[in-house]
Structures are given as structure tokens and as C-alpha cells.
Amino acid sequence: MQQQVAIKGMTCGGCTQTVEKALKQVAGVKTATVSLVPPQADIQTDHEISNAQLQSALAKVGNYRVAGNVTDNEPKKSGGS
């Protein structure tokens, strides 16, 4: 299963390495690839992992936070009036 989540608080390559290492420690995560631009993580998992679980891992290593699923951050389209 693949999940993509937006990550806030990263400012450099060292941050991406720290976040990636922390995410890989979460039970059920097979692989994690973190990018600075765009600031997100692509995560391969055995099963769906909640953003709260991911946030818990990030809180242990710095001032990083899960900002939601990548699809959640797309602009909402409003209907016509």
C-alpha cells in the first residue's frame, strides 16, 4: 500500500534524512522516501498507517509535522452558483 503525506518543518537535506529515518521506524512501514521540494513523504506500507502514528514518530526527532495526505492539500474546487 502506498501513502503520500505532506510534511511541514523541513528546511534542508539533513531534515529530509531525519524525517525519512524516523518514518522508517514506524511499525508497518516498508520504505519511506522524503523530498524537500515538494515537502512530502512517499511511504510504502504493509497496511494503512494513520497520520497520527506518523506524527508521533516525527515529534520524537524534531519540529516536523504531518500536514495531511498529499491529495488533501489540493485546492478544493467550488461549484458554480
Side-chain angles (χ1 to χ4, degrees), residues 69-79:
N69 296 333
V70 171
T71 54
D72 292 344
N73 293 330
E74 292 177 1
K76 303 283 188 226
K77 294 184 179 180
S78 59

Side-chain angles (χ1 to χ4, degrees), residues 17-81:
Q17 291 176 359
T18 299
V19 168
E20 190 170 295
K21 186 175 179 181
L23 293 174
K24 288 179 179 178
Q25 299 301 313
V26 175
V29 172
K30 292 181 179 180
T31 64
T33 305
V34 178
S35 64
L36 189 57
V37 179
Q40 70 182 33
D42 295 312
I43 305 166
Q44 291 287 330
T45 63
D46 291 328
H47 57 278
E48 188 167 353
I49 296 173
S50 72
N51 288 351
Q53 288 173 285
L54 300 174
Q55 179 59 52
S56 178
L58 295 184
K60 294 176 185 175
V61 296
N63 191 25
Y64 310 111
R65 70 187 214 298
V66 175
N69 296 333
V70 171
T71 54
D72 292 344
N73 293 330
E74 292 177 1
K76 303 283 188 226
K77 294 184 179 180
S78 59
S81 0

